[in-house]
Amino acid sequence: MAALDVAVVTFPSAQILDVTGPLEVFSSADHLLPTVEYRTQVVSPSGGMVQASSGLSFGTTALADVVEPVDTLVVAGGRDMDEACADEELLAHVRRLAGSARRVTSVCSGAFVLAAAGLLDGRRATTHWAECQLLASAHPQVSVDGDAIYVRDGDVWTSAGVTAGIDLALALVADDHGARAAAAVARHLVVYLRRSGGQAQFSTLLAAQAAESEPVRELLAWLPDHLAEDLSVPALARRVHLSERQFSRVFKAEVGLTPSEHVEGLRLEAACRLLETTGHAVDHIARTCGFRVPETMNRTFRRRLDTTPGEHRRHFGQFAGR
């Protein structure tokens, strides 16, 4: 199989994991899989040593020295994105390499460079959750998905913050060589081949940890172990000894979601975990997670993840591709 050239574009004050995360995925695939060959290089506007935001310095090749075409162009994110996006030489080289690349990708705030270069116009994209609103306001011609781990729009892929670059790179390996190859790399790196592009940057459990009031905190801790029970608003309001109206108001203020939205998110995440890690039948998982019937769970997967339980299991199951 012909080697696939990967160029990772970086600059001073880059986020080091935006660079090294994808590099480790591609180099692991190259090492582990006999039919796979990736040739990677890290490039920057001037070449030479670049100091990351963490203080670590690493060597790079000058962008002007990169010979076209590269197969995959990856643009990393970093701290001083205003400077990077105002660097016309950087943007010109990104446009040049993107023009002949098979696919163009970004990690975290690297999406701002792609947007500044005009490569995201008319496309869906994502970036770090804290920067999504800024990306949308600075580039209204880009349709920003603030919840996705990564987004693919044709031959352009963008990903969320930091470790999402690993998810993106694993998805690229799967796109090139199949789920089995990507699963082998994920096992080697001791990471999960589980986060689909449609999954949220925040889990429902994580998003709820900021709750402050005692009744809501206790309820949030209780919910994940009782998903098959009656979790309607009247039932939950009774549990915390509040009226339905007061409970709904306090819950939304504390968690940022309605009780029904939060419960649905918990059930969906639990179903994903069971589909990924067990061989239980779909109807059993639906009952265990409180959906009661597979049809309800299927509709939720379609609406929230744009997939089905069966498709999710085939793509992210523990033994995917075997």
Side-chain angles (χ1 to χ4, degrees):
M1 180 174 293
L4 301 178
D5 291 306
V6 179
V8 181
V9 179
T10 188
F11 36 81
S13 295
Q15 167 73 45
I16 190 64
L17 197 54
D18 288 5
V19 177
T20 58
L23 281 179
E24 285 296 335
V25 171
F26 291 124
S27 72
S28 295
D30 188 61
H31 173 71
L32 291 170
L33 307 169
T35 60
V36 174
E37 184 178 358
Y38 288 103
R39 294 188 302 218
T40 59
Q41 58 181 323
V42 181
V43 301
S44 68
S46 301
M49 299 301 292
V50 170
Q51 187 174 56
S53 58
S54 63
L56 178 68
S57 294
F58 55 96
T60 66
T61 299
L63 267 166
D65 294 335
V66 180
V67 178
E68 301 174 59
V70 297
D71 177 80
T72 302
L73 182 66
V74 181
V75 180
R79 180 178 295 166
D80 299 326
M81 294 309 299
D82 288 345
E83 294 182 20
C85 292
D87 186 337
E88 289 299 332
E89 183 180 2
L90 168 63
L91 299 182
H93 281 299
V94 167
R95 293 188 197 99
R96 172 178 67 86
L97 295 174
S100 57
R102 179 168 65 94
R103 60 191 173 197
V104 177
T105 74
S106 66
V107 181
C108 196
S109 54
F112 283 85
V113 173
L114 294 186
L119 299 174
L120 297 184
D121 291 357
R123 295 183 182 273
R124 289 179 59 245
T126 193
T127 186
H128 190 286
W129 62 268
E131 305 293 337
C132 282
Q133 186 173 354
L134 179 59
L135 180 63
S137 60
H139 300 279
Q141 66 274 36
V142 181
S143 177
V144 179
D145 186 339
D147 201 36
I149 294 292
Y150 62 83
V151 169
R152 179 182 186 178
D153 189 328
D155 58 357
V156 176
W157 306 56
T158 53
S159 66
V162 196
T163 58
I166 296 174
D167 295 282
L168 173 65
L170 287 168
L172 297 176
V173 171
D175 190 54
D176 292 337
H177 306 291
R180 183 174 183 176
V185 175
R187 285 193 296 271
H188 177 73
L189 295 175
V190 198
V191 296
Y192 293 109
L193 185 66
R194 294 182 182 175
R195 302 202 301 177
S196 71
Q199 285 182 275
Q201 294 189 32
F202 280 124
S203 71
T204 304
L205 285 171
L206 183 62
Q209 287 181 355
E212 295 181 357
S213 68
E214 191 69 24
V216 174
R217 279 205 310 272
E218 291 180 357
L219 179 65
L220 293 173
W222 176 85
L223 281 171
D225 296 324
H226 299 84
L227 296 179
E229 299 183 21
D230 178 8
L231 302 182
S232 63
V233 169
L236 296 180
R238 287 194 299 271
R239 183 170 184 83
V240 295
H241 308 293
L242 295 173
S243 70
E244 293 180 27
R245 173 180 288 185
Q246 185 180 12
F247 168 68
S248 296
R249 179 181 57 79
V250 170
F251 193 97
K252 180 68 180 290
E254 292 279 340
V255 180
L257 299 169
T258 67
S260 297
E261 289 170 339
H262 181 75
V263 168
E264 184 179 73
L266 288 175
R267 285 172 167 161
L268 182 64
E269 290 180 6
C272 286
R273 288 194 297 272
L274 291 175
L275 289 165
E276 293 158 5
T277 60
T278 75
H280 295 326
V282 170
D283 59 347
H284 172 81
I285 292 174
R287 291 194 303 273
T288 299
C289 297
F291 290 106
R292 298 189 179 181
V293 295
E295 290 76 12
T296 302
M297 187 167 75
N298 187 69
R299 286 196 297 271
T300 304
F301 267 74
R302 283 287 190 193
R303 175 167 43 83
R304 298 279 295 261
L305 300 180
D306 194 27
T307 188
T308 66
E311 289 169 349
H312 184 91
R313 169 172 272 168
R314 282 190 293 275
H315 196 64
F316 299 103
Q318 188 172 17
F319 306 104
R322 291 188 177 182

